Amino acid sequence: MTSRHWVERAGVRLSYQVAGERGDPTLVLLAGYGRSGSSWLPWLGRVGPLPYRVVLVDHRGTGESGRPRRPYTLATLADDAAVVIRDGAGDAPAVVVGESMGGMVAQHLALRHPRRVAGLVLSASAARGDVSPAFLRSLPLTAAATISNDVRVWTMCDRLLVHDGDRAHGLLAPLRQIQRTEPYSRFNSLLQALAMSFHRTDRRLGAVRVPVEVIVGAEDRMLAPRNSRVLAARLPQARLTVLADTGHAIAYERPMEIVDAVKRLGL
């Protein structure tokens, strides 16, 4: 079970959920493109009880967070996350797990708010916004899958995210159910895509001085594994793990790999 909390930053009401008791370190989960913090709930259900206080962040424009109409950057989302961490975890730094776009936000968070971050797990992410053709093709599919009951639309989108296309619908069904029950903003999806297109951290990652676990699926068709290799090469304390027979949605396809990555940080 999780409890819902809110905090305000610069006139935007930010929502987050908390699971577990206050602990050290706190584990902060940042979701990927178009997703709220609730997209992590199936992962929490599959990995079982964790010895951490877990904070699930709703990026602005998703879930229960406010929906401002002005464009923003991923640095804006990082500043939002820093306020959530302070509100949900206190003064102690947190271990931050970012999936895909959430991993991009996590990089900005570590650069802009280093005292808030004890370690990073970057899952299927990138240091630049040079997304793959498969990702660009998926944008209209992602929007359609969120608002459509057409199984054919779901199937096309889901098959891009996991390695084994025959298992895609079953693996991602919990995520799609969550997305069906939450309000969806096409406009915010556009704002997030625009923010990702301007994402550039590759030349600044040398300033990140915390341990980092970079994990990627060898068969990722959304953000190719070369992106994670760049991350691991540019981050001074990074270790790269390439998962065989795995696609983009590691939290759904290989959930325990994220737990193992957190443990490898040694915090």
Side-chain angles (χ1 to χ4, degrees), residues 30 78 96 100-113 120 122 125-128 199-202 204-205 208 231 235:
L30 301 178
V96 180
S100 193
M101 186 198 79
M104 300 176 189
V105 175
Q107 295 163 48
H108 289 279
L109 179 62
L111 288 165
R112 296 169 67 85
H113 305 277
L120 296 174
L122 305 178
S125 195
R128 294 177 63 88
H199 169 61
R200 301 286 188 278
T201 55
D202 50 334
R204 296 182 287 138
L205 291 177
V208 176
L231 282 173
L235 288 157

Side-chain angles (χ1 to χ4, degrees), residues 167-232:
R167 299 177 60 216
H169 181 70
L171 285 172
L172 296 174
L175 169 64
R176 301 310 184 192
Q177 182 58 38
I178 288 168
Q179 290 181 308
R180 280 194 182 102
T181 62
E182 290 188 324
Y184 177 73
S185 168
R186 295 185 184 91
F187 185 70
N188 182 68
S189 291
L190 176 62
L191 292 181
Q192 282 196 354
L194 182 64
M196 281 190 291
S197 72
F198 288 100
H199 169 61
R200 301 286 188 278
T201 55
D202 50 334
R203 295 183 179 181
R204 296 182 287 138
L205 291 177
V208 176
R209 299 296 179 180
V210 296
V212 182
E213 290 290 327
V214 180
I215 59 176
V216 66
E219 308 301 326
D220 192 332
R221 289 176 287 172
M222 305 292 284
L223 289 173
R226 67 175 180 273
N227 291 289
S228 290
R229 293 190 179 97
V230 170
L231 282 173

